[in-house]
Amino acid sequence: MAAHQENVEVYWYLTAPDGRSPWSTEGARKIDLPYLRQIASAVDQLGFTGALLATGPHDTWVLGSSLISSTNNMRFLIAVHPPLISPVLAAKMTQTFDDFSGGRVLLNIVNGNTAQIRAYGSTLGHDERYAYTDEWIQVWKQAVAGESLDFHGKYITAEGKALQLTSTQKPTPPLWFGGSSQAAHLTAAKHIDTYLSWGETPPQVAEKIQDLQALAAEQGRTMRYGIRLYLIVRDTDEEAWQEADRLLKTMDPQTVEHMQTILRNSDSVGQQRMLRNHNGQIPKDARELEIYPDLWAGMSLVRPGPGTTIVGSPATVLARIREYQDAGISTFIFSGVPLLEEAYRVGEYILPHLRVNREAITTPKQEEREKVFTWAHNIH
């Protein structure tokens, strides 16, 4: 199989829960730091660009910090909820992580849904969260760059110079972002480096990218485009669909109904699109949820967020990946069940046939380090 000529970034997923069927008692694994270090080590060694540390049971900053010393090349895409943290504090955390990791941090801006955010104490509605994020990003960028702040917005006021350092990546680490509503698209077009789509079909993704490109052009900007997908790759298409059937049979009606009740109440536009792929019904055969050639919607019966899976042999999976590339996608975030074993399978079957970008990590210039040391000396 010949490699597609365009470079891509390929990330893995590094977030609990996990197991052979993590939505079931029998199939869920104990997730602790040693296990997460195994996954991080696999991502680091197999040739992935990095990993997404998504919203889950563990704090993403603490988890990422715990894995820095276990990795050398892996980039950390850390999920951040703007309404839940000061932009200046987030900038300080970004600077610290970027310094300690040698320039390997990326931020995935997550706006979440109203029910989720309210549980953490924020009462902002759907469109208000994007308006808040618009202000948050402006302050964050200035603070990460070490600038003095004089920002007076509807939601955020920040004055003075709270931070003395700057990030290793200049001018700031890249920002990633997802969201299918028009409010989300407008925010992305103004500020974001990589727009991340959920697992929609290639034609749907192409249409979304065209809309985003037009909005970004109005701002005099361009963006990269990424997608989040599960993979089930086996030696043959038949074996891959047998694995999809195995997973389907572990999804009991009570678990599915509980998850669907939660997700139906979400005000996330992307989440509602995922739900329409199956309407909460468990079919007898996995292929009944094939929403596009080789794309399976079954995972979103039991998992929130992106639930689309490419199913097939290495040749089939690569054909779908290349179709997404042709639609405008240059960045992929993949996962499998379980994460550890499937990282190796994807590393062996898929990555050798892609031109994966693992560009050298930038390191602080000597004069930048001298500025830090001089400042630290002067305050004592």
Side-chain angles (χ1 to χ4, degrees):
M1 289 174 282
H4 199 283
Q5 291 188 355
E6 295 180 6
N7 288 342
V8 295
E9 292 184 346
V10 181
Y11 293 75
W12 196 242
Y13 194 69
L14 217 168
T15 305
D18 193 26
R20 281 181 53 77
S21 53
W23 43 85
S24 67
T25 303
E26 300 79 12
R29 288 179 178 169
K30 177 185 177 182
I31 308 300
D32 54 18
L33 184 56
Y35 180 68
L36 292 166
R37 280 177 173 157
Q38 287 187 65
I39 301 174
S41 180
V43 170
D44 201 51
Q45 296 175 29
L46 288 170
F48 291 91
T49 308
L52 168 63
L53 281 60
T55 301
H58 301 109
D59 178 79
T60 54
W61 289 103
V62 175
L63 173 58
S65 300
S66 301
L67 299 174
I68 289 175
S69 61
S70 302
T71 57
N72 295 308
N73 301 300
M74 186 184 93
R75 307 204 78 183
F76 294 83
L77 178 56
I78 296 181
V80 179
H81 290 73
L84 305 183
I85 185 171
S86 152
V88 180
L89 177 58
K92 188 174 187 178
M93 295 163 68
T94 302
Q95 289 176 349
T96 305
F97 197 112
D98 210 37
D99 181 22
F100 290 178
S101 68
R104 290 190 281 149
V105 71
L106 313 161
L107 267 62
N108 184 34
I109 303 299
V110 180
N111 279 272
N113 62 73
T114 298
Q116 175 193 35
I117 294 297
R118 285 185 71 87
Y120 282 90
S122 173
T123 58
L124 293 176
H126 181 278
D127 285 4
E128 275 191 302
R129 289 198 299 277
Y130 289 105
Y132 181 93
T133 294
D134 177 88
E135 294 186 7
W136 189 97
I137 291 174
Q138 295 177 63
V139 175
W140 176 87
K141 284 184 174 181
Q142 292 175 14
V144 168
E147 297 176 9
S148 182
L149 300 172
D150 185 20
F151 188 91
H152 300 268
K154 179 179 178 181
Y155 302 98
I156 299 172
T157 297
E159 300 173 344
K161 188 174 176 64
L163 307 183
Q164 302 299 323
L165 308 180
T166 60
S167 63
T168 298
Q169 299 176 82
K170 298 292 186 289
T172 71
L175 291 179
W176 293 38
F177 181 94
S180 295
S181 68
Q182 191 64 15
H185 285 192
L186 289 169
T187 302
K190 288 177 66 176
H191 301 296
I192 300 303
D193 300 294
T194 297
Y195 174 87
L196 186 61
S197 175
W198 285 7
E200 297 172 344
T201 67
Q204 290 171 324
V205 168
E207 182 179 355
K208 182 184 289 187
I209 289 176
Q210 288 176 1
D211 178 53
L212 284 157
Q213 286 175 329
L215 291 173
E218 291 175 4
Q219 301 290 330
R221 303 183 67 251
T222 60
M223 292 186 288
R224 293 174 60 88
Y225 298 93
I227 193 166
R228 165 83 177 92
L229 294 160
Y230 288 87
L231 295 184
I232 298 177
V233 57
R234 296 296 185 268
D235 288 324
T236 66
D237 290 344
E238 181 181 5
E239 290 177 79
W241 282 103
Q242 286 174 353
E243 174 62 9
D245 269 318
R246 181 195 72 78
L247 291 171
L248 189 67
K249 289 179 172 58
T250 69
M251 301 177 187
D252 65 89
Q254 292 77 20
T255 299
V256 170
E257 179 55 32
H258 174 71
M259 180 57 67
Q260 296 305 301
T261 299
I262 294 173
L263 299 182
R264 280 194 293 268
N265 293 325
S266 170
D267 59 357
S268 164
V269 173
Q271 186 65 74
Q272 296 309 312
R273 289 182 182 177
M274 292 290 104
L275 297 184
R276 287 195 290 271
N277 287 329
H278 51 67
N279 294 318
Q281 302 300 310
I282 307 174
K284 292 183 178 180
D285 182 84
R287 294 202 83 136
E288 293 181 45
L289 293 180
E290 188 177 13
I291 59 173
Y292 187 83
D294 317 310
L295 293 185
W296 183 54
M299 294 296 286
S300 60
L301 286 167
V302 288
R303 301 295 292 269
T308 308
T309 309
I310 305 179
V311 182
S313 66
T316 295
V317 171
L318 285 164
R320 262 337 113 239
I321 290 172
R322 287 164 184 155
E323 188 173 0
Y324 279 114
Q325 284 183 267
D326 291 339
I329 296 294
S330 59
T331 301
F332 295 87
I333 301 177
F334 294 136
S335 65
V337 181
L339 289 168
L340 182 59
E341 290 91 326
E342 294 304 306
Y344 277 95
R345 201 184 302 270
V346 171
E348 293 166 356
Y349 279 135
I350 302 300
L351 292 189
H353 304 289
L354 299 174
R355 295 182 55 155
V356 180
N357 184 4
R358 300 189 87 194
E359 61 186 18
I361 304 303
T362 59
T363 56
K365 294 180 180 179
Q366 182 61 31
E367 56 266 29
E368 291 294 328
R369 289 195 174 275
E370 289 174 356
K371 288 178 184 177
V372 172
F373 296 146
T374 300
W375 172 80
H377 176 76
N378 288 339
I379 65 173
H380 291 295

